């Protein structure tokens, strides 16, 4: 544990003394959620792997060392920037590259239907979408890693899995946070599933500083290394998953995932959502994530508001402590964004999401009309947003050629559904809870969603995960993302603003206090860590309820600041970040 804590505080900064758009090698940088993934990513880059190789290897390592969120049984999103391989040295023109987005989000099983989690009285059955066999969507991670590697990977697939296999076989040291979360989850699920869950046998006994070996998982990873993603989707692992789904005796408890679900699962290349802001291009997650749209809406609305309301902005700013003014303005913008999220967003393969319109200047100009700079605007007339819970994980990588990967993936809750695939040693997700279990009605977490996000067979559930890349002059300026459920959006937004507008270093930007408002609960601002007494008093005087949120993300940020690469892992987590030269 001490190893992890100590290492979380170091970052190094290496000067970039050449123009950012030349094709000379630059330092590589990583910002990873734990020390094992950091070691692996660095090793792969040092061995000549590119950012995608490092991402794939790290994703499999995290499935071993970060079992609460790193996964084989979950899904996620990957945003990628590939620099143009042609040199433009002669003209010194910015060497534009191309951005990509891979959607490997889970899908509802074919047997799922709109009222899956309702009883005969159309009431939501508590926790059924969160705990146990029916909570899982069809996993996407293994197909996603395979697909991105097929197209962009450089080193052999098998080699990329070797660190993960070794860590599963030989074990790794259990950190205190992992041990604590494992116990917490055990207590959390105990009364929420009608049948006992095998999570207990696999993870409930993790002790701080003990060595945790996962021989079944090592076998699974070896199969994936040798046979590729098909081992998981049509081979032995698919059979193990389906067998596990059938284990409960009662039909009501059996899982829904079938061989047809697994065979039919595809990861999808989508257009990343892109918006212009402050001379930059924000490249982020499109639907089925709400993240990219929401972050671009927040950034653009902030700028529009600042420009169009200059005198009242300055007056209100002068009357409040700095942090309180920020928290209020963010809350005003955020309640509008989360209202849009709940109403418009869902799987683009099932519904039309008006992306262009939602991030257009015209729409956002009209959207800020009701914003009040010195008072709280009306909540009743806005559509409700959504409250989610941890755990997910994010990493950011840039290689020496400027290829960047921003990856967020998850099981949803820490340790997902609590169901482990026996013989295969990995946990299944509980991502089905990200659907609106009953459109228009709050579920057990206070989640309210609309028709756009109701359950349908093979549909992807709406997400907030927002792996983001910021481009300036056609080159990567930032690679950023975080876990944190619905707070992901506001954490990424604040990290970007902290660097671009507040002039913070990467470390300051990720460590700075963050605030979060998501329309509901009404007038509630969550914060982490502490805010000053003056800030709190000012916000309370305005009518806000303040709530300390013990968990608000784990931002992993790489940023080029004034020609220097910096990498930083959030002090809230156990991350390790480093900038290093390959020489
Ligand atoms: O996709 C989503 O938005 C959620 N399932 C993510 C959950 C999450 O971030 C929990 N994290 N700490």
């Amino acid at each position: 544990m001490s190893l992890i804590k100590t290492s979380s505080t170091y970052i190094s900064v290496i000067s970039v003394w050449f123009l950012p758009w030349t094709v000379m090698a630059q330092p590589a940088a990583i910002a990873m959620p734990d020390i094992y993934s950091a070691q692996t990513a660095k090793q792969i880059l040092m061995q000549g792997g590119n950012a995608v190789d490092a991402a794939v290897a790290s994703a499999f390592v995290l499935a071993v060392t970060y079992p609460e969120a790193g996964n084989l049984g979950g899904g996620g999103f990957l945003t990628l920037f590939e620099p143009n391989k042609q040199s433009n040295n002669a003209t010194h023109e910015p060497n534009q590259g191309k951005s990509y987005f891979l959607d490997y989000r889970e899908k509802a099983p074919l047997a799922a239907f709109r009222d899956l989690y309702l009883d005969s009285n159309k009431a939501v059955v508590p926790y059924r979408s969160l705990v146990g066999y029916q909570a899982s969507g069809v996993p996407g991670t293994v197909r996603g890693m395979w697909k991105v590697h097929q197209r962009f990977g450089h080193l052999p697939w098998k080699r990329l899995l070797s660190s993960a296999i070794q860590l599963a076989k030989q074990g790794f040291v259990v950190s205190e946070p992992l041990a604590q979360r494992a116990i917490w989850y055990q207590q959390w699920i105990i009364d929420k599933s009608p049948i006992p869950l095998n999570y207990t046998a696999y993870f409930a006994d993790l002790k701080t500083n003990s060595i945790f070996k996962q021989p079944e998982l090592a076998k699974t990873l070896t199969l994936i290394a040798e046979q590729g993603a098909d081992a998981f989707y049509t081979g032995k692992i698919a059979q193990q998953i389906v067998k596990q789904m059938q284990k409960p005796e009662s039909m009501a408890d059996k899982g829904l995932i079938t061989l047809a679900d697994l065979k039919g699962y595809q990861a999808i290349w989508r257009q990343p959502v892109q918006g212009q802001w402050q001379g930059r291009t924000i490249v982020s997650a499109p639907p089925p994530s709400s993240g990219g749209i929401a972050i671009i809406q927040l950034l653009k609305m902030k700028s529009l508001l600042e420009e169009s309301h200059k005198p009242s902005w300055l007056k209100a700013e002068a009357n409040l402590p700095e942090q309180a003014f920020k928290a209020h303005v963010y809350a005003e913008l955020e309640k509008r964004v989360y209202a849009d999220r709940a109403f418009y967003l869902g799987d683009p393969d099932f519904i039309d999401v008006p992306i262009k319109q939602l991030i257009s200047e015209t729409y956002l100009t009209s959207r800020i009309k009701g914003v009040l700079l010195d008072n709280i605007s009306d909540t009743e007339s806005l559509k409700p947003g959504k409250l989610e819970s941890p755990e997910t994980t994010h990493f950011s990588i840039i290689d020496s050629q400027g290829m960047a990967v921003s990856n967020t993936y998850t099981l949803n809750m820490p340790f997902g559904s609590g169901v482990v695939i026996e013989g295969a040693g990995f946990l299944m997700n509980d991502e089905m809870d990200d659907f609106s279990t009953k459109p228009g009605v709050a579920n057990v977490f206070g989640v309210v969603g609309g028709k756009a996000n109701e359950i349908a067979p093979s549909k992807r559930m709406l997400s907030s995960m927002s792996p983001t890349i910021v481009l300036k002059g056609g080159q990567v300026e930032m690679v950023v993302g975080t876990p944190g459920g619905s707070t992901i959006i506001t954490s990424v937004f604040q990290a970007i603003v902290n660097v671009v507008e507040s002039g913070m270093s990467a470390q300051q930007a990720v460590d700075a206090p963050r605030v979060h408002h998501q329309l509901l609960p009404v007038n509630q601002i969550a914060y982490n860590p502490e805010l000053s007494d003056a800030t709190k008093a000012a916000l309370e005087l305005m009518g806000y309820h303040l709530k300390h949120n013990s968990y608000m993300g784990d931002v992993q940020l790489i940023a080029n600041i004034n020609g220097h690469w910096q990498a930083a892992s959030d002090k809230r987590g156990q991350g390790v970040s480093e900038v290093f030269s390959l020489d």
Side-chain angles (χ1 to χ4, degrees), residues 334-356:
E334 284 160 5
K335 64 208 277 185
R336 286 160 175 79
V337 164
Y338 283 86
D340 282 354
R341 180 191 192 278
F343 188 71
Y344 291 112
L345 304 191
D347 183 346
D349 294 342
F350 284 71
I351 56 154
D352 285 330
V353 182
I355 302 181
K356 267 199 188 139

Side-chain angles (χ1 to χ4, degrees), residues 173-251:
V173 182
V174 174
S175 68
E176 196 178 340
L178 170 55
Q180 281 170 352
R181 276 181 219 143
I183 294 169
W184 172 83
Y185 187 73
Q186 171 62 25
Q187 289 159 355
W188 189 79
I189 54 167
I190 201 88
D191 58 352
K192 295 190 175 59
S193 170
I195 52 170
L197 299 177
N198 63 3
Y199 166 85
T200 310
Y202 282 80
F203 295 101
D205 221 17
L206 296 187
K207 301 264 185 312
T208 305
N209 288 332
S210 65
I211 304 286
F212 181 39
K213 295 183 185 175
Q214 300 171 84
E216 291 182 358
L217 184 56
K219 276 192 222 154
T220 301
L221 290 164
T222 306
L223 275 178
I224 296 170
E226 283 167 1
Q227 299 171 11
D230 285 349
F232 191 94
Y233 290 94
T234 52
K236 177 164 180 204
I237 306 163
Q239 283 161 11
Q240 288 172 313
I241 294 172
V242 173
K243 190 170 164 207
Q244 190 70 38
M245 293 292 113
Q246 291 305 318
K247 283 220 164 137
E249 275 167 24
S250 146
M251 269 315 277

